[in-house]
Amino acid sequence: MNCQALQVAEHEHLAITGPSGSGKTTLLNMISGIDVPTHGHVTVLGQNISQLTEEQRVAFRDQYVGLIFQDFCLFSGLTALENVALFKPDHSTLDECYKMLDAVGMSQRYDVEVRHLSGGEKQRVGIARAMVKKPKILLADEPTAQLDTKTAQSVMDLLFHLRQTQAMTMVMITHDIRVAERCDRMVSMESLSS
Amino acid sequence: MIKQNASRLFWAFLLSFMLLLALDAVPSQLVEMKSRYASTWAGGDLVVKSPRHLDLDLMSQYQVSKSIKMSSMMLADDTAHLVHLQFIEDNYPLYGQLKSSSDVPIPQGGVWVSERFAQQIGLREGDQVAIGDQEWSVAGFVTKQDEQIFDFEAFSPSVFMRYDDQELTGLITPTSRLSIYTYIAGPEVMALSAKLEATLSKDARIIKPQESLGRIERIISQVVDLLWAVRLVGYLMAGFLFHLALEGYFHYLAQDVGTLMALGVRKAKRLRYITQPLLQVNLLVVTLGVVLSIVSIYGLNQALALLPMTLTLEMMPLVIRTLVTYVLMASALVFLHCNSVLNTPVINLMRQHPRSINYLLMFLVCSGIAIYTQVVSWDITGVSIQILSLAVICLFVYMLIYGLIYLCRYGLKLGGTRAYMLLNGLRLYGYEYTFVVMFLSVILTLGVFVWHAQTQLISSWQATFPDNASNGFLIGVQEREVSGLKAQFSWLNEADFYPIIKGRLIDINDQDANSYEQGRLKDHEALNRQLNLTMLSYLPPNNEIIEGTWPSEGLSADSGIMNRLGLKLGDRLTFLLYGEEVSLPITSVRQVDWRSMRANFYFIFPVSALEQYPASYMASAYLPPEHRDDLALMQQIYPGVTYLDVALFIEEARQFVDYIAASMTGMIGIVSIFGLLAFMMIFQRQHQQKKRQMKAMKKLGLDLRQYPVVQDERRFLTVLAAMLSILLSVLIIYMMNGLLTVSWYFDVNSIFVMLLMLVTALSIDALRARQLK
């Protein structure tokens, strides 16, 4: 992937689009520090994260970044509550996990193991897990890719509703132009690499 | 994920624990039992074996019991049987047990007979048997005798008589081949031992059971050595099982850990997430493993109580040793796996590419654990050499298998769809498959080797006998009886009767024979027993002079014993005969054909050197089956003459080989089962991947009956393992024939045994594979 300069402002909501294999996920991984560039650098919140060690990048994500995956990446043997509680900050209480699950519409499903949940419910738990940390940056990799249209719509509504309640920067990968249009800005991978 | 994998981990770990217990139980206990039961098996704290009675004044402060042991004939129901006769005092044994069906000591004029022998020949209490000059009444049957383990070389059934009755038998003469045992028990016997060493004549042997049990100890060591290779493979197998279970666990865990890392979970918390379930499972395994070990050892001890000698497994040391080995192995492998996952970059974990653990490292870890458990009672140099040898063999086999799989890949490309499917599996899991095939083939080879040793060791030796080989020996013949025997029994007409004088080699070149520096084998049995010495003016058949002059006024020595004791022409040897020292130089070297089954001798004296000593006579002869009844007549006319049946020795030797082979087969069996489990575990791990593959194949419209891909892989690998083990077995047999000058051949039957095992494994596996469809 050859990506030219991309800047995202604080509290901006950015949608990234592009064809398969154009490097959208790689770009998101670079921003989160999951992957590092072979050339150049990535600066997030004023920090050049490319120079950090693997564990420093883990700590950075712990402090500032929330992630939402297209395949949910939940712990299938744990309940919805346990999946969220696993990632709550040390200083917060379990009540906040309940509140977050309530906020994503999972109030009746706290104690259900996630393998028994539907796709939409799983993604709601994924969103709750990302948001419970109150991240400064939320990175979402095609969060509705595995959901049907109706469920995808409700998940997106939830995500944009949370945007109103929590001040944060959001970078989202999506193929859905309608979703992209709800963001502040939309960039395509072609424009980035040209 | 953890819940799903926990039960698999639990079973794999528990099986590893039990395998470690089984591997440790036999060899370590054999060695430990030797020191624990030394006095029990020997019958005292100190035992003196001598050709003459000892002066008991020195032992007045100790408990003392005497016994005389000799071979003789017993006539029961008009049939003569060779027996191991033992005259015992009432207080025999000082330690251990001599249990009989009778509650009272042996009565005057009575005998006790071993229970097994009595059942074989149909003896009942009160029956009369003839031994020596008299008839005796059967007063009881011996069910347990601890000293028989020490007397394992007595290839004939035991008969016990009162010590006072020895004179009445008429068997005790100056020339009788007997040993007098004095058992001593009490505190500070070592001080007494020092005194005895200073005062006893050189032909007496002091046995200190706690220091050495002599030949039985050497045999135990050899059995432990033989088991060593199997044991090492077993340790590797236990480690491999453990490793496979862990790798399966970490394979699924990798993505979780990747998610945790991506979501910013710190190392300590990740480590806790990984290790907590492992700790819980291990705690459960250790608890259950210890309980199962205690139950198994208890059950085994109950079974051992049925043996005719005292033998028990000591519970706590065995359990503790297994526990320590397991904890060490588990900690090392868990550490390696955790380290591997924790140090893999998050991007690789999320793509499910955790850095796989190095198999060579696993081999070294398991070997290290094996070394640890061995050095507790073994020398590190020996273990290191053996581990290195095994590593070299494994490396060779590994390269061979990997090469074969590599070649097969190209060969398969020429095949159709089915071959491509097989190729896919081999390419994806080539590394794991190589290890599985290697373990399977090594263990199968060991099994085939034991099979051959069991079936061919004795028979290949027998095959070397000439057609007219003797099938028996007469011993204890008096000079006056020789002509009578020849005249009365036609099959003795042509037999050569050789004069026998018992003597012990005490000095070589005026130096104590046991500390002679040139000797290759310091503790050679020829130095520890009374030798059959003869005096001849002619050279016996099957003897050839290869060096020196014959006849002469010196000794003629067998080249084999000279080589083993480090002797050369001109060396002066001193023997103790009837308490007198006789010293002569070696003037000729003989090549003796020991396979002739004739009476052969290590040393032949000139007649002039020994004619003043009383001698008995010995002859080898072929007793035709139709003349077997002659033995009863011979026993009646010549009660002091003993006929040693070669067939009896061969049968006993065969039984002995069977015992050793059975213990090895048992160990190999256990290791094989675990090998097959490891084999199946690998396939189990691929279950999900195979399921997806099947789904895709169905979607593509392929008929699964036509392309049984899963079974194809297994069949290919098992056949490869079997072929390789056959190849290795043939190679080993060829090497054995070259090195040991034996004439073994590859027994085709062994393939069926091997195939049976493989077919069983495949059948179980095929049932599992059906679920995929």
Side-chain angles (χ1 to χ4, degrees):
Chain A
M1 190 194 109
N2 181 15
C3 182
Q4 304 300 318
L6 168 70
Q7 285 194 339
V8 185
E10 196 176 0
H11 298 158
E12 185 183 8
H13 288 194
L14 175 74
I16 299 172
T17 59
S20 298
S22 58
K24 301 185 295 292
T25 301
T26 306
L27 176 63
L28 214 63
N29 284 343
M30 300 274 191
I31 297 169
S32 63
I34 287 174
D35 212 347
V36 284
T38 45
H39 298 291
H41 62 271
V42 179
T43 305
V44 183
L45 298 171
Q47 253 190 299
N48 182 359
I49 59 166
S50 322
Q51 289 181 338
L52 301 179
T53 63
E54 182 89 48
E55 280 308 315
Q56 284 171 333
R57 294 199 301 274
V58 170
F60 176 80
R61 283 196 294 276
D62 182 31
Q63 228 172 334
Y64 304 115
V65 183
L67 281 165
I68 300 169
F69 303 95
Q70 60 171 300
D71 54 356
F72 322 128
C73 289
L74 296 172
F75 295 83
S76 54
L78 300 181
T79 63
L81 180 67
E82 286 163 349
N83 262 284
V84 177
L86 191 62
F87 297 94
K88 75 176 175 56
D90 293 337
H91 55 81
S92 64
T93 62
L94 211 56
D95 278 350
E96 294 192 34
C97 302
Y98 282 113
K99 277 183 197 164
M100 193 48 71
L101 282 168
D102 291 343
V104 297
M106 292 292 289
S107 47
Q108 302 300 313
R109 312 284 275 166
Y110 300 138
D111 298 321
V112 180
E113 284 184 24
V114 293
R115 62 187 154 143
H116 300 306
L117 297 178
S118 68
E121 286 174 323
K122 281 180 186 167
Q123 198 54 294
R124 282 167 193 273
V125 176
I127 293 169
R129 179 180 65 182
M131 300 300 287
V132 77
K133 291 203 294 186
K134 297 191 172 56
K136 281 189 184 300
I137 303 163
L138 182 68
L139 303 172
D141 187 358
E142 296 187 56
T144 56
Q146 296 199 13
L147 306 177
D148 62 73
T149 319
K150 198 178 164 191
T151 314
Q153 180 68 39
S154 70
V155 166
M156 274 303 156
D157 288 347
L158 169 68
L159 209 52
F160 283 98
H161 169 71
L162 289 171
R163 169 194 174 179
Q164 311 298 326
T165 55
Q166 287 188 31
M168 59 184 176
T169 308
M170 183 169 83
V171 179
M172 183 196 295
I173 293 172
T174 182
H175 284 294
D176 189 337
I177 198 73
R178 283 169 302 175
V179 172
E181 281 170 356
R182 291 174 75 177
C183 295
D184 299 335
R185 184 157 63 111
M186 176 175 65
V187 291
S188 70
M189 287 306 290
E190 290 97 327
S191 66
L192 282 175
S193 53
S194 61
Chain B
M1 193 286 305
I2 292 167
K3 284 176 191 168
Q4 284 161 7
N5 280 283
S7 78
R8 198 172 301 160
L9 273 179
F10 171 76
W11 286 113
F13 289 177
L14 188 64
L15 286 170
S16 298
F17 190 97
M18 296 315 285
L19 177 59
L20 290 176
L21 177 78
L23 291 173
D24 202 28
V26 179
S28 70
Q29 287 293 300
L30 269 176
V31 175
E32 277 165 23
M33 268 193 284
K34 187 193 69 190
S35 56
R36 195 146 39 97
Y37 290 119
S39 299
T40 307
W41 291 342
D45 290 323
L46 208 64
V47 182
V48 182
K49 183 184 173 188
S50 68
R52 283 177 300 283
H53 291 282
L54 300 184
D55 175 8
L56 298 180
D57 289 348
L58 272 174
M59 307 163 203
S60 54
Q61 294 169 359
Y62 298 87
Q63 272 185 282
V64 177
S65 179
K66 285 179 289 174
S67 125
I68 296 175
K69 298 180 190 177
M70 65 187 298
S71 287
S72 183
M73 300 300 283
M74 182 182 89
L75 194 65
D77 204 15
D78 292 333
T79 310
H81 304 275
L82 174 70
V83 292
H84 179 65
L85 207 55
Q86 194 168 345
F87 299 97
I88 54 169
E89 292 190 318
D90 285 347
N91 64 345
Y92 170 88
L94 298 178
Y95 292 126
Q97 297 181 49
L98 175 68
K99 267 191 188 172
S100 98
S101 56
S102 167
D103 296 332
V104 292
I106 307 172
Q108 201 108 37
V111 292
W112 281 356
V113 181
S114 96
E115 191 182 38
R116 203 175 121 212
F117 176 55
Q119 281 169 354
Q120 275 171 1
I121 62 170
L123 268 185
R124 283 168 304 179
E125 263 186 57
D127 283 355
Q128 296 291 305
V129 291
I131 297 170
D133 296 337
Q134 281 208 359
E135 289 219 328
W136 308 83
S137 170
V138 177
F141 303 116
V142 174
T143 52
K144 204 167 190 125
Q145 188 208 1
D146 282 327
E147 207 199 341
Q148 70 172 281
I149 199 161
F150 204 72
D151 267 345
F152 75 101
E153 287 168 292
F155 287 118
S156 44
S158 295
V159 171
F160 295 85
M161 302 179 80
R162 287 178 62 84
Y163 192 81
D164 311 335
D165 285 345
Q166 51 175 299
E167 295 297 333
L168 293 172
T169 60
L171 295 172
I172 314 292
T173 66
T175 58
S176 299
R177 192 174 168 72
L178 54 83
S179 297
I180 299 169
Y181 284 76
T182 309
Y183 307 89
I184 305 156
E188 296 174 23
V189 282
M190 286 304 140
L192 175 67
S193 164
K195 279 186 201 167
L196 287 172
E197 270 168 18
T199 53
L200 287 178
S201 68
K202 285 186 174 179
D203 53 0
R205 189 177 151 220
I206 300 171
I207 301 161
K208 299 169 201 162
Q210 290 300 336
E211 286 181 12
S212 168
L213 284 173
R215 195 143 186 211
I216 183 71
E217 185 167 336
R218 282 198 293 276
I219 287 175
I220 289 176
S221 299
Q222 280 160 6
V223 171
V224 171
D225 281 2
L226 279 171
L227 290 173
W228 209 90
V230 185
R231 205 175 164 199
L232 189 56
V233 175
Y235 276 114
L236 293 173
M237 198 60 78
F240 195 53
L241 255 178
F242 206 94
H243 162 72
L244 282 175
L246 276 180
E247 211 186 29
Y249 173 77
F250 279 101
H251 181 76
Y252 290 110
L253 196 78
Q255 205 182 12
D256 280 3
V257 176
T259 308
L260 289 173
M261 270 180 102
L263 294 169
V265 173
R266 311 289 174 94
K267 205 169 194 171
K269 207 169 170 184
R270 292 200 308 270
L271 185 65
R272 212 162 48 234
Y273 177 80
I274 298 170
T275 51
Q276 214 160 14
L278 283 175
L279 282 174
Q280 285 167 356
V281 169
N282 270 310
L283 202 65
L284 194 64
V285 166
V286 164
T287 313
L288 200 65
V290 168
V291 173
L292 280 175
S293 306
I294 290 171
V295 172
S296 317
I297 296 168
Y298 177 78
L300 213 57
N301 278 341
Q302 295 301 108
L304 286 172
L306 303 173
L307 289 176
M309 75 279 287
T310 308
L311 218 61
T312 52
L313 299 175
E314 213 172 2
M315 194 172 286
M316 286 326 285
L318 187 53
V319 174
I320 289 170
R321 212 151 114 149
T322 306
L323 195 65
V324 170
T325 311
Y326 176 84
V327 169
L328 277 174
M329 197 178 257
S331 312
L333 291 176
V334 167
F335 170 77
L336 286 171
H337 277 280
C338 282
N339 191 47
S340 170
V341 168
L342 287 175
N343 290 317
T344 302
V346 57
I347 191 73
N348 289 353
L349 288 173
M350 294 192 75
R351 287 174 187 158
Q352 279 197 314
H353 291 150
R355 197 166 56 190
S356 183
I357 191 166
N358 190 332
Y359 280 82
L360 185 68
L361 196 61
M362 187 203 71
F363 174 83
L364 292 174
V365 168
C366 297
S367 305
I369 307 288
I371 287 181
Y372 160 76
T373 54
Q374 292 294 316
V375 287
V376 173
S377 55
W378 248 51
D379 68 302
I380 187 117
T381 320
V383 173
S384 307
I385 289 169
Q386 292 191 43
I387 286 203
L388 206 65
S389 318
L390 197 73
V392 170
I393 293 170
C394 285
L395 193 69
F396 169 73
V397 178
Y398 174 79
M399 285 167 68
L400 196 68
I401 298 165
Y402 204 75
L404 273 174
I405 290 183
Y406 196 76
L407 282 175
C408 287
R409 285 174 179 180
Y410 285 94
L412 287 168
K413 278 185 179 174
L414 305 171
T417 312
R418 195 166 164 174
Y420 268 106
M421 290 295 178
L422 179 56
L423 181 66
N424 177 52
L426 292 181
R427 193 170 280 164
L428 282 175
Y429 307 108
Y431 208 48
E432 290 165 330
Y433 285 166
T434 303
F435 263 80
V436 168
V437 172
M438 187 178 84
F439 278 126
L440 272 181
S441 52
V442 168
I443 203 71
L444 283 173
T445 305
L446 282 170
V448 171
F449 177 74
V450 172
W451 165 282
H452 281 81
Q454 193 175 3
T455 55
Q456 292 183 30
L457 190 66
I458 302 289
S459 52
S460 69
W461 172 58
Q462 273 180 291
T464 61
F465 297 172
D467 291 340
N468 60 347
S470 310
N471 61 359
F473 293 90
L474 285 183
I475 59 167
V477 180
Q478 301 303 310
E479 191 174 6
R480 62 177 186 282
E481 296 171 332
V482 173
S483 54
L485 280 164
K486 282 193 166 196
Q488 271 173 301
F489 303 105
S490 57
W491 47 279
L492 285 173
N493 280 343
E494 302 297 319
D496 288 322
F497 283 78
Y498 299 101
I500 300 290
I501 296 110
K502 288 185 301 170
R504 186 158 179 168
L505 175 61
I506 52 170
D507 289 339
I508 300 169
N509 293 332
D510 299 324
Q511 194 182 331
D512 181 25
N514 271 311
S515 58
Y516 185 59
E517 287 174 5
Q518 305 301 318
R520 268 206 302 131
L521 302 168
K522 301 277 184 221
D523 57 347
H524 190 267
E525 53 164 344
L527 303 175
N528 290 322
R529 66 179 174 91
Q530 296 277 325
L531 298 170
N532 284 329
L533 306 172
T534 191
M535 48 182 173
L536 294 173
S537 55
Y538 62 94
L539 198 63
N542 306 105
N543 281 248
E544 186 192 340
I545 300 293
I546 54 171
E547 208 180 342
T549 52
W550 170 276
S552 75
E553 287 307 300
L555 278 172
S556 177
D558 161 52
S559 58
I561 194 74
M562 283 183 72
N563 184 32
R564 289 194 290 278
L565 296 180
L567 302 174
K568 57 186 186 305
L569 202 68
D571 279 349
R572 175 166 285 275
L573 307 186
T574 307
F575 294 85
L576 196 64
L577 316 168
Y578 296 101
E580 289 178 21
E581 291 186 7
V582 175
S583 191
L584 283 174
I586 299 173
T587 50
S588 68
V589 182
R590 279 171 303 124
Q591 178 94 52
V592 179
D593 181 8
W594 289 93
R595 294 176 187 181
S596 65
M597 295 305 289
R598 301 177 78 96
N600 286 314
F601 303 92
Y602 284 148
F603 301 104
I604 299 178
F605 284 69
V607 176
S608 58
L610 298 186
E611 61 188 349
Q612 69 272 34
Y613 297 104
S616 67
Y617 282 76
M618 176 190 191
S620 55
Y622 177 73
L623 171 62
E626 64 272 19
H627 284 280
R628 284 207 79 83
D629 291 344
D630 286 358
L631 291 178
L633 183 65
M634 186 192 286
Q635 214 277 323
Q636 283 168 347
I637 306 170
Y638 307 100
V641 174
T642 303
Y643 177 78
L644 304 177
D645 192 341
V646 171
L648 203 67
F649 287 87
I650 291 173
E651 192 45 45
E652 289 292 329
R654 198 188 298 279
Q655 270 185 25
F656 188 66
V657 171
D658 283 352
Y659 283 137
I660 293 175
S663 64
M664 285 194 75
T665 310
M667 290 280 278
I668 289 171
I670 293 168
V671 176
S672 305
I673 291 168
F674 284 89
L676 291 172
L677 279 173
F679 189 62
M680 287 176 190
M681 197 179 265
I682 283 188
F683 286 113
Q684 178 63 33
R685 272 184 40 193
Q686 298 159 3
H687 200 68
Q688 291 304 321
Q689 197 268 341
K690 294 285 175 197
K691 231 172 175 171
R692 280 197 294 274
Q693 193 178 331
M694 292 288 175
K695 216 169 163 181
M697 285 170 72
K698 272 183 184 169
K699 278 181 188 167
L700 291 166
L702 291 174
D703 183 357
L704 292 181
R705 279 167 302 178
Q706 208 180 336
Y707 304 110
V709 267
V710 182
Q711 287 100 314
D712 271 359
E713 277 172 39
R714 295 164 212 208
R715 281 175 201 152
F716 176 80
L717 294 170
T718 43
V719 169
L720 188 65
M723 280 171 58
L724 208 75
S725 55
I726 292 168
L727 189 77
L728 286 174
S729 306
V730 172
L731 199 71
I732 288 173
I733 288 167
Y734 177 77
M735 281 166 65
M736 289 275 298
N737 287 347
L739 293 173
L740 303 178
T741 59
V742 291
S743 52
W744 287 17
Y745 60 92
F746 184 76
D747 187 349
V748 185
N749 290 326
S750 60
I751 296 177
F752 295 119
V753 178
M754 197 157 48
L755 287 181
L756 188 72
M757 202 168 95
L758 295 175
V759 166
T760 313
L762 283 174
S763 308
I764 299 167
D765 205 47
L767 290 173
R768 183 87 181 103
R770 280 177 64 153
Q771 294 171 14
L772 289 173
K773 296 178 184 178

